[in-house]
Amino acid sequence: RKEVEQDPGPFNVPEGATVAFNCTYSNSASQSFFWYRQDCRKEPKLLMSVYSSGNEDGRFTAQLNRASQYISLLIRDSKLSDSATYLCVVNMRGTALIFGKGTTLSVSS
Amino acid sequence: GAGVSQSPSNKVTEKGKDVELRCDPISGHTALYWYRQRLGQGLEFLIYFQGNSAPDKSGLPSDRFSAERTGESVSTLTIQRTQQEDSAVYLCASNTGGGFEQYFGPGTRLTVT
């Protein structure tokens, strides 16, 4: 089983849609969780950290379920500029981060 | 302030040649990471430096890969006797250590012909 698994997509949605991405991780001792965003041919950038209580940043909501070892990202009112690859990231060793392969989102007008 | 910088931005080399990739982390960041991203793939962890501790080399794919870091500053990733499968974008990141946000450089796109 891969350490961090994501549905690669692509997810093709119209502007204004709500879309949800899921991610599972294999190591129950994982400590920190993040969603990064990567635009085509660009470096990854932190979108948001994921906390056990769930957290929201504008149109973006992240949830963590430790019992199921599952992380989600919800994007409401999708914009064209949201088109990117979303990377689920887990800290398993307390040091290096483990990245999922990413889920590609394409928002169209 | 200045972000993570990497050089060169692009490198084309012939199979069998050695290459050196450079990373300048954000000033004050004690931790530095190297990743590899093949076309259409996710990030593969290569190596991690934290302060004066021994580096975590567990992600290096073969003994052709090595990396050094001078104190808490510049790092160099060296690939010896390059192979076509080494073609990828090599990304460097830095942070203050632990599981905190990593800041990435723009990467070096390596093409082995």
Side-chain angles (χ1 to χ4, degrees):
Chain A
R1 181 181 174 185
K2 295 178 183 175
E3 291 183 283
V4 179
E5 293 202 62
Q6 294 181 250
D7 180 346
F11 284 64
N12 298 304
V13 303
E15 277 185 290
T18 296
V19 61
F21 306 140
N22 303 319
C23 166
T24 57
Y25 59 95
S26 61
N27 191 327
S28 60
S30 300
Q31 300 171 342
S32 307
F33 309 89
F34 309 89
W35 284 100
Y36 274 69
R37 169 186 170 137
Q38 186 172 26
D39 292 290
C40 187
R41 300 176 76 87
K42 297 286 189 181
E43 70 274 22
K45 292 186 179 178
L46 180 68
L47 176 66
M48 60 196 302
S49 301
V50 186
Y51 303 117
S52 297
S53 55
N55 49 299
E56 186 174 310
D57 182 1
R59 298 181 293 108
F60 299 85
T61 301
Q63 299 261 334
L64 168 65
N65 184 322
R66 286 187 182 270
S68 301
Q69 295 177 204
Y70 169 98
I71 306 161
S72 66
L73 176 68
L74 182 76
I75 305 176
R76 292 181 298 279
D77 189 22
S78 299
K79 311 291 184 190
L80 294 175
S81 57
D82 294 334
S83 297
T85 296
Y86 291 83
L87 306 171
C88 177
V89 184
V90 175
N91 177 323
M92 291 195 180
R93 306 188 184 103
T95 55
L97 300 179
I98 306 298
F99 286 76
K101 290 191 174 182
T103 298
T104 299
L105 172 66
S106 178
V107 181
S108 57
S109 58
Chain B
V4 178
S5 61
Q6 292 186 245
S7 61
S9 55
N10 282 283
K11 176 71 176 179
V12 180
T13 190
E14 292 180 353
K15 178 181 172 181
K17 301 279 190 178
D18 297 352
V19 294
E20 282 191 356
L21 312 180
R22 176 186 169 108
C23 172
D24 283 89
I26 292 172
S27 178
H29 279 188
T30 56
L32 185 149
Y33 310 78
W34 283 99
Y35 296 89
R36 175 172 73 178
Q37 188 171 32
R38 292 190 168 117
L39 186 64
Q41 300 297 310
L43 274 74
E44 294 176 73
F45 165 71
L46 296 178
I47 188 168
Y48 158 70
F49 296 90
Q50 171 63 67
N52 295 319
S53 302
D56 177 354
K57 303 180 181 180
S58 59
L60 294 178
S62 78
D63 59 7
R64 296 187 295 106
F65 288 72
S66 62
E68 293 184 349
R69 187 180 186 193
T70 307
E72 293 187 351
S73 60
V74 172
S75 176
T76 302
L77 176 69
T78 301
I79 308 173
Q80 296 179 310
R81 305 181 302 282
T82 51
Q83 304 294 313
Q84 287 188 330
E85 61 263 28
D86 298 335
S87 295
V89 175
Y90 289 81
L91 290 158
C92 175
S94 71
N95 68 1
T96 53
F100 299 104
E101 176 185 0
Q102 294 184 7
Y103 295 83
F104 283 83
T108 294
R109 185 172 301 276
L110 175 66
T111 304
V112 182
T113 62

